[in-house]
Structure formats: C-alpha cells, structure tokens
Amino acid sequence: MKRIGLISDTHSHLEPAVFDYFADCDEIWHAGDIGHTDLADALEEFKPFRAVYGNIDGAALRRRYPLVQDFEIEGLRVYMIHIGGYPGRYSKGVKAALQASQADLFITGHSHIVKAMPDRQLNLLHLNPGAAGRHGWHKEKTLMRFKIEAGQLSDLELIELGPRGQIAPEELP
C-alpha cells in the first residue's frame, strides 16, 4: 500500500502546511506548473517525488521532469500530464495516449479546477488536485491525498489550504 500526496500549480509558492498534510505520504506527485527548482528541491528532499513540467515551467524544470509520467504503482497504471483535459473533453492526442497506456488513473493540473471524475468509456478515474499556489484565478488553494493498494485507489481526500491570497509584485515569477 502507498499513500500519495498530489499537488499541482504551485507557481513557485509552497505553503508550509503541505509538509504537515503530506507527512504520512509515501510519495508526492506534482502535476506541473512547479514554478521554481527550489520548490521541487524542497519536495524531493522531503519524500520520493514524481512530477511533470507545466506550461509555465522553464528550461531547468523541463530538463529535470518529463512532459508525461506513465507508470505502474501497486498494480495501478497512472498517466500524468499537466495539460490533458478531462473525460469528455480531452486535449488533442490524450485520449489515444490513455488508451495506449491502459491507464487506470489519469492526473492533470493546469485548469486550477478540482476534479475527481470517472471516464466509464476508458474505465479510468481522472483527478485534478486544483491549484496549491497563489497565482491564478482559483479562490482556494487545494491538494489531494489518497491510497493505492492492489490496483485500487481509496481514501481520496481533498485538502483546502485556505484562500489564494494576494501576490506582492516582488513574488511574481
């Protein structure tokens, strides 16, 4: 059994509470728009870390992380990409990639909209943890936690970190 902490769209801002919420997690997954290598370093030092780069991530993060993570963990096939759409509205080429992967779990970021929804046609679950940073139009910073065991995802939790808040000009990426 693995406990997973899922985060996205940090845009160079990491709430200290993330470390508390993910303390019991075995791995942290980031669905893109990390923002700064220091943020990735902090999460990598804390727990085993998997990530994809997002559209705001610069060359250093793009060299470090792939566009797509396609892997198996605890008998569950995972496909993670920053911009991928969602069931019924997949980005170009994503549906075919999901079919080729035979994914059980499809993870995206980008929209800053929390989603947990099935795709009955592809027999998978789609998750988007929303946005954990202060940049963007979302009102609440959010994370997800869940367990994976014997090919099944369970105990899915949405964690609200508080309002997005204001960004001082010197904090902009």
Side-chain angles (χ1 to χ4, degrees):
M1 193 248 317
K2 295 277 187 185
R3 292 180 193 91
I4 307 300
L6 180 60
I7 189 169
S8 188
D9 295 276
T10 47
H11 293 261
S12 300
H13 175 76
L14 188 60
E15 288 288 328
V18 168
F19 296 100
D20 295 329
Y21 284 112
F22 289 170
D24 291 335
C25 291
D26 298 300
E27 293 187 15
I28 298 172
W29 301 348
H30 197 301
D33 278 0
I34 298 163
H36 198 281
T37 56
D38 289 349
L39 189 145
D41 292 343
L43 291 173
E44 281 183 355
E45 289 171 14
F46 181 59
K47 297 284 179 173
F49 184 69
R50 297 179 199 245
V52 294
Y53 69 77
N55 56 296
I56 66 116
D57 292 324
L61 288 166
R62 288 172 188 242
R63 281 191 300 272
R64 196 161 159 179
Y65 304 108
L67 174 66
V68 171
Q69 288 268 7
D70 187 357
F71 61 96
E72 184 272 328
I73 181 169
E74 296 288 315
L76 190 80
R77 188 90 204 151
V78 180
Y79 189 95
M80 182 167 59
I81 188 170
H82 182 62
I83 301 174
Y86 55 91
R89 300 200 65 156
Y90 290 115
S91 299
K92 185 178 180 178
V94 169
K95 185 174 182 180
L98 291 169
Q99 289 170 320
S101 168
Q102 298 183 356
D104 303 302
L105 177 60
F106 172 50
I107 296 172
T108 62
H110 187 62
S111 71
H112 294 217
I113 299 170
V114 174
K115 287 192 187 306
M117 62 190 298
D119 182 327
R120 298 194 199 305
Q121 182 185 17
L122 296 183
N123 195 31
L124 60 78
L125 176 65
H126 166 64
L127 296 179
N128 183 324
R134 293 186 288 183
H135 179 74
W137 58 270
H138 60 285
K139 292 183 177 19
E140 188 80 17
K141 295 179 297 245
T142 55
L143 313 166
M144 287 180 170
R145 276 189 311 212
F146 52 90
K147 294 177 186 172
I148 299 173
E149 184 173 17
Q152 298 294 313
L153 186 145
S154 65
D155 299 334
L156 177 62
E157 300 173 88
L158 175 65
I159 299 161
E160 296 178 333
L161 297 173
R164 173 176 56 89
Q166 298 299 312
I167 303 172
E170 65 273 7
E171 294 180 288
L172 290 173

